């Protein structure tokens, strides 16, 4: 479904600040996989999502989605195939536009339109019906500006918009990190419901260990631009928080040993 081969990305190349953030990374994602991506700060998780989305350009490697190579494709074209939700909802929605206007733009994704033409009042009942299933009262706020909604409501809208056109792949980049714990759990419930309902292949970056353990069928840990753990099925289901901490420690020690040996 998604195949990544030999992907590499270096920032500040050929300078004293050179940093190889993604290091010859290869990954195969099956259809309907819900992968949680864990790793320390600087492990390359968000950079990997940016490379897949096309907002960063790789130096080496290929990204293939359903047999179509994405690497030569601009980000705005990939957006027709890939849904994305950021940590900051302002990157996923237009705060100064109403909920109806935002949904209409998402609905018209991939087509030429003006905002006036994009708004189809015949779709209002559909929007209300779908929003009501989220349980956040959004069906009553179609004419409210997004910026006036709560943080949780904004992220729920961003999720709804990201899956509206049934993308081949959904990228979630710490999309609950800016929310309080209670709201974070609500949004994770909405996330799981939408992914399951639409059967969307998903990569979710998170620093929340409980979310990484509780959601998805597969857990990947990254360290220094590489995949160091890839657990699924029973192996993933039986993981505990202590197991994950041990994996972090083990990989940190491996890197420390390499530095000592000059490798």
């Amino acid at each position: 479904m998604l195949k990544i081969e030999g992907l590499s990305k270096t920032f500040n190349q050929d300078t004293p600040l050179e940093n190889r953030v993604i290091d010859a990374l290869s990954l195969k994602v099956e259809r309907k996989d819900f992968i949680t991506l864990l790793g320390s700060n600087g492990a390359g998780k968000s950079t990997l999502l940016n490379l897949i989305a096309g907002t960063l350009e790789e130096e080496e490697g290929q990204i293939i989605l359903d047999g179509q190579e994405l690497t030569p494709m601009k980000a705005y074209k990939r957006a027709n195939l890939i849904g994305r939700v950021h940590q900051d909802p302002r990157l996923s929605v237009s705060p100064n536009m109403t909920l109806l206007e935002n949904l209409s733009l998402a609905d018209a994704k991939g087509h030429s339109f003006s905002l006036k033409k994009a708004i189809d009042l015949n779709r209002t009942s559909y929007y209300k019906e779908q929003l009501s299933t989220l349980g956040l009262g959004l069906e009553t706020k179609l004419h409210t500006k997004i910026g006036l909604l709560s943080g949780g409501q904004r992220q729920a809208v961003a999720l709804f918009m990201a899956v509206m056109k049934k993308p081949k792949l959904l990228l979630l980049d710490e999309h609950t990190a800016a929310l309080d714990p209670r709201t974070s759990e609500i949004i994770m419930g909405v996330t799981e419901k939408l992914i399951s309902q639409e059967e969307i292949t998903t990569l979710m970056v998170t620093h929340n260990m409980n979310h990484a353990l509780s959601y998805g069928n597969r857990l990947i840990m990254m360290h220094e631009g590489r995949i160091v753990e890839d657990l699924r099925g029973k192996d993933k289901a039986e993981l505990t928080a202590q197991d994950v901490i041990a994996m972090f420690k083990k990989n940190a020690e491996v890197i420390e040993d390499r530095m000592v040996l000059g490798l």
Side-chain angles (χ1 to χ4, degrees), residues 139-194:
E139 66 275 10
T140 67
K141 300 183 181 296
L142 282 179
H143 301 289
T144 301
K145 286 188 176 181
I146 292 285
L148 298 178
L149 300 178
S150 70
Q153 287 176 324
R154 288 197 298 271
Q155 285 299 64
V157 171
L159 273 166
F160 184 74
M161 290 169 59
V163 304
M164 185 180 287
K165 301 297 281 188
K166 294 182 173 53
K168 293 181 181 292
L169 180 67
L170 178 63
L171 305 177
L172 304 176
D173 195 355
E174 295 190 67
H175 70 301
T176 67
L179 305 175
D180 65 78
R182 177 179 175 276
T183 305
S184 175
E185 294 308 315
I186 292 172
I187 295 305
M188 280 308 305
V190 171
T191 300
E192 185 173 48
K193 182 175 184 177
L194 288 172

Side-chain angles (χ1 to χ4, degrees), residues 8-14 18-22 57 59:
S8 294
K9 178 64 182 178
T10 304
F11 292 118
N12 303 310
Q13 198 164 12
D14 300 324
E18 181 172 307
N19 182 17
R20 194 168 178 82
V21 182
I22 300 293
E57 186 176 347
E59 283 109 36

Side-chain angles (χ1 to χ4, degrees), residues 9 16 57 65-66 96 197 213 259:
K9 178 64 182 178
E57 186 176 347
L65 182 62
D66 267 3
N96 293 320
Q197 181 178 293
L213 292 172
M259 291 173 67

Side-chain angles (χ1 to χ4, degrees), residues 4-13 18-27 37-52 56-63 203 205 220-228:
I4 298 172
E5 296 181 337
L7 194 65
S8 294
K9 178 64 182 178
T10 304
F11 292 118
N12 303 310
Q13 198 164 12
E18 181 172 307
N19 182 17
R20 194 168 178 82
V21 182
I22 300 293
D23 188 9
L25 183 147
S26 294
L27 172 66
L37 272 170
L38 271 179
S40 57
N41 289 330
K45 305 179 300 298
S46 293
T47 300
L48 175 60
L49 263 56
N50 286 328
L51 289 168
I52 294 170
L56 282 177
E57 186 176 347
E58 72 292 328
E59 283 109 36
E60 299 173 341
Q62 287 183 308
I63 303 170
L203 294 177
V205 170
I220 286 176
M221 180 177 285
M222 292 183 63
H223 192 68
E224 296 202 337
R226 302 174 183 174
I227 293 173
V228 292

Side-chain angles (χ1 to χ4, degrees), residues 13-233:
Q13 198 164 12
D14 300 324
T15 76
L17 298 176
E18 181 172 307
N19 182 17
R20 194 168 178 82
V21 182
I22 300 293
D23 188 9
L25 183 147
S26 294
L27 172 66
K28 186 176 181 181
V29 179
E30 304 294 343
R31 190 178 303 278
K32 300 182 187 179
D33 266 351
F34 179 0
I35 296 174
T36 55
L37 272 170
L38 271 179
S40 57
N41 289 330
K45 305 179 300 298
S46 293
T47 300
L48 175 60
L49 263 56
N50 286 328
L51 289 168
I52 294 170
T55 54
L56 282 177
E57 186 176 347
E58 72 292 328
E59 283 109 36
E60 299 173 341
Q62 287 183 308
I63 303 170
I64 300 168
L65 182 62
D66 267 3
Q68 182 175 9
E69 187 172 353
L70 299 185
T71 34
M73 191 182 297
K74 297 295 184 183
Y76 74 91
K77 289 189 176 180
R78 297 190 201 189
N80 292 322
L81 306 172
I82 299 171
R84 188 170 188 186
V85 182
H86 300 265
Q87 179 178 335
D88 184 347
R90 291 174 297 181
L91 298 175
S92 304
V93 297
S94 299
N96 293 320
M97 296 171 65
T98 67
L99 174 53
L100 176 59
E101 289 169 338
N102 273 271
L103 295 178
S104 298
L105 289 178
D107 220 357
K109 187 176 178 180
H111 302 283
S112 299
F113 60 87
S114 65
L115 179 57
K116 185 175 180 180
K117 289 182 179 179
I119 296 176
D120 183 355
L121 296 178
N122 293 324
R123 296 281 281 168
T124 301
S125 295
Y126 168 77
Y127 296 147
K128 285 184 176 180
E129 179 184 340
Q130 295 300 309
L131 290 171
S132 67
T133 66
L134 303 182
L136 296 173
L138 288 165
E139 66 275 10
T140 67
K141 300 183 181 296
L142 282 179
H143 301 289
T144 301
K145 286 188 176 181
I146 292 285
L148 298 178
L149 300 178
S150 70
Q153 287 176 324
R154 288 197 298 271
Q155 285 299 64
V157 171
L159 273 166
F160 184 74
M161 290 169 59
V163 304
M164 185 180 287
K165 301 297 281 188
K166 294 182 173 53
K168 293 181 181 292
L169 180 67
L170 178 63
L171 305 177
L172 304 176
D173 195 355
E174 295 190 67
H175 70 301
T176 67
L179 305 175
D180 65 78
R182 177 179 175 276
T183 305
S184 175
E185 294 308 315
I186 292 172
I187 295 305
M188 280 308 305
V190 171
T191 300
E192 185 173 48
K193 182 175 184 177
L194 288 172
I195 289 171
S196 174
Q197 181 178 293
E198 303 297 338
E199 298 185 332
I200 298 175
T201 307
T202 302
L203 294 177
M204 182 180 79
V205 170
T206 182
H207 279 294
N208 187 312
M209 198 178 302
N210 289 329
H211 291 171
L213 292 172
S214 301
Y215 295 95
N217 67 303
R218 188 171 168 191
L219 183 148
I220 286 176
M221 180 177 285
M222 292 183 63
H223 192 68
E224 296 202 337
R226 302 174 183 174
I227 293 173
V228 292
E229 303 285 352
D230 186 353
L231 303 170
R232 66 189 83 193

